[in-house]
Amino acid sequence: MGIISSITSLASGGMSTVYKYLAIGGVVLALLVGAFFYGKHFGDEDSKLAIANLTAKYEKQMTDLLGLQTVTNTKIVTQVVTKVVTIHDNKGKGDVAAHNDTDDANTVLSPKWTCIHNAAVDSSDPTACDSLPSTGGTQK
Amino acid sequence: MRVLTILAVCLLAGCATTKLESKLVFPDVPVELMAPAEPMNKLPDGPVKATDALAVVNDNYAAANANKVRLEGLQQWIKETEANVKAANNKKDANK
């Protein structure tokens, strides 16, 4: 005879069949609940430890990543900003050079030329400019 | 036997562990690389002198080049950041 049977016969000795089953059920339920909470207790402890370890690892990895990322950010931002500043500097020099181009100062572009340029700026269809005059001129 | 099986299941349920995974947060993109694209300018309506047009073209090329540089920088940043995240994750896996 097993332990469970012993416990249930002890708990239900001399009772009617209904009470016997109720007693068996009660014992089994008590065992189930006890087993659950016994297991849960250890599960909770293990979980806390696992979460603490994971949090520590995560923080360490984030620190490592931010260290690597700081190097990457500094390098790339420096490269980009330096190049953009140079581009803007040269743009200013180009504007001055364009206005100093006195030989072309009085040359007026044709409406077609201007229209095709503007179509290129916003990527619209340049064939809309076909009907415009393609003759420029001079202006004083 | 059935009762013992149920007991074992209950014990295992109590001890059950959930696999916890931590994913590294993707780093923020530097604001310098997220600047809006520089716009290009059209020529004004009416007669346009060649020198004025040249100045506008000069500005537009500068805008296009600045946008190109920012795009290249952003692409490089993405590649390097991806490599950094992978390196950090691999390091984490090695620590397990």
Side-chain angles (χ1 to χ4, degrees):
Chain A
M1 189 179 281
I3 296 170
I4 304 294
S5 302
S6 303
I7 294 170
T8 52
S9 62
L10 189 69
S12 60
M15 294 180 181
S16 70
T17 308
V18 174
Y19 287 117
K20 202 174 186 178
Y21 282 120
L22 279 175
I24 292 169
V27 169
V28 169
L29 187 65
L31 282 171
L32 289 174
V33 171
F36 178 81
F37 282 104
Y38 181 75
K40 187 177 183 308
H41 168 72
F42 288 106
D44 284 349
E45 293 297 314
D46 286 349
S47 300
K48 280 178 191 166
L49 189 64
I51 289 169
N53 286 340
L54 195 66
T55 305
K57 269 185 197 171
Y58 177 76
E59 284 172 1
K60 170 82 169 62
Q61 294 311 314
M62 273 311 289
T63 306
D64 290 346
L65 175 60
L66 290 177
L68 291 170
Q69 202 53 39
T70 302
V71 175
T72 296
N73 287 356
T74 306
K75 181 183 74 181
I76 295 174
V77 168
T78 305
Q79 281 175 2
V80 168
V81 169
T82 305
K83 285 180 183 173
V84 170
V85 167
T86 304
I87 287 167
H88 286 162
D89 285 349
N90 289 337
K91 180 180 87 169
K93 291 175 190 172
D95 284 341
V96 172
H99 286 290
N100 288 339
D101 179 17
T102 51
D103 290 343
D104 294 317
N106 299 322
T107 303
V108 176
L109 301 171
S110 71
K112 190 171 186 174
W113 197 103
T114 307
C115 179
I116 291 172
H117 171 273
N118 288 345
V121 168
D122 59 11
S123 298
S124 59
D125 184 3
T127 57
C129 307
D130 286 349
S131 60
L132 293 172
S134 57
T135 310
T138 55
Q139 192 180 55
K140 294 194 177 177
Chain B
M1 188 62 199
R2 247 184 276 167
V3 176
L4 284 175
T5 307
I6 295 168
L7 270 176
V9 169
C10 283
L11 275 169
L12 288 172
C15 294
T17 56
T18 305
K19 192 181 176 192
L20 296 171
E21 283 189 33
S22 63
K23 291 286 176 199
L24 296 171
V25 178
F26 198 77
D28 293 332
V29 184
V31 288
E32 292 85 350
L33 303 180
M34 292 298 285
E38 294 184 22
M40 288 195 280
N41 302 310
K42 287 185 173 183
L43 294 170
D45 292 334
V48 179
K49 289 182 179 179
T51 49
D52 295 335
L54 184 56
V56 170
V57 169
N58 178 57
D59 289 355
N60 287 345
Y61 273 122
N65 282 327
N67 292 338
K68 170 179 169 276
V69 164
R70 285 201 189 92
L71 174 63
E72 287 171 347
L74 186 59
Q75 288 175 340
Q76 189 187 351
W77 184 89
I78 291 169
K79 281 182 191 166
E80 292 196 17
T81 299
E82 193 179 22
N84 289 343
V85 171
K86 278 182 184 166
N89 273 327
N90 287 340
K91 208 172 169 185
K92 183 173 71 178
D93 292 341
N95 288 342
K96 276 182 184 171

